[in-house]
Amino acid sequence: MQMSNKAGRMFFLITGFVLLIYSVLICYASISTGNFFVGHELVLAGTTLMTFSLSYLYPQFKENDERSKRIRERGMFFSYFFILGYMIILMPLLQFELVTLTGYQSVSLLAALTIITVFSSFVVLAKRY
């Protein structure tokens, strides 16, 4: 069963708004209890950005043509270097205790940054190509 461009975009857009509401509620709950940045808040925010990006990218990615393959390929290539940069920056910050994070917080931060970087690069490259 094929989804039309409009239906596919609407699905991701509605999912994005639902995740945005959840994200805001969970961030508010974390801040109001004094436990902000447990870790999962940023992952949920990254997932929200991912669904909005997929809403924008759905028509390009649905075709699965040479252009969409190039966007994915180049996006992953550029994202690799950004993610490597995040790790290079985080390692000394954690080593010299300029920032103190638990293991869960560190992994959540890297996961959120990875999601945001990959899908933002897809959007930027979709406008470029």
Side-chain angles (χ1 to χ4, degrees), residues 10-30:
M10 286 303 292
F11 171 76
F12 285 117
L13 201 59
I14 291 168
T15 304
F17 280 114
V18 169
L19 286 173
L20 180 64
I21 291 167
Y22 286 157
S23 200
V24 169
L25 287 173
I26 288 178
C27 283
Y28 177 74
S30 292

Side-chain angles (χ1 to χ4, degrees), residues 52-70:
F52 284 126
S53 297
L54 286 172
S55 169
Y56 175 78
L57 295 167
Y58 183 78
Q60 288 94 349
F61 283 4
K62 182 183 175 203
E63 299 300 320
N64 202 21
D65 58 355
E66 190 63 36
R67 180 176 177 262
S68 68
K69 288 178 185 174
R70 183 163 173 84

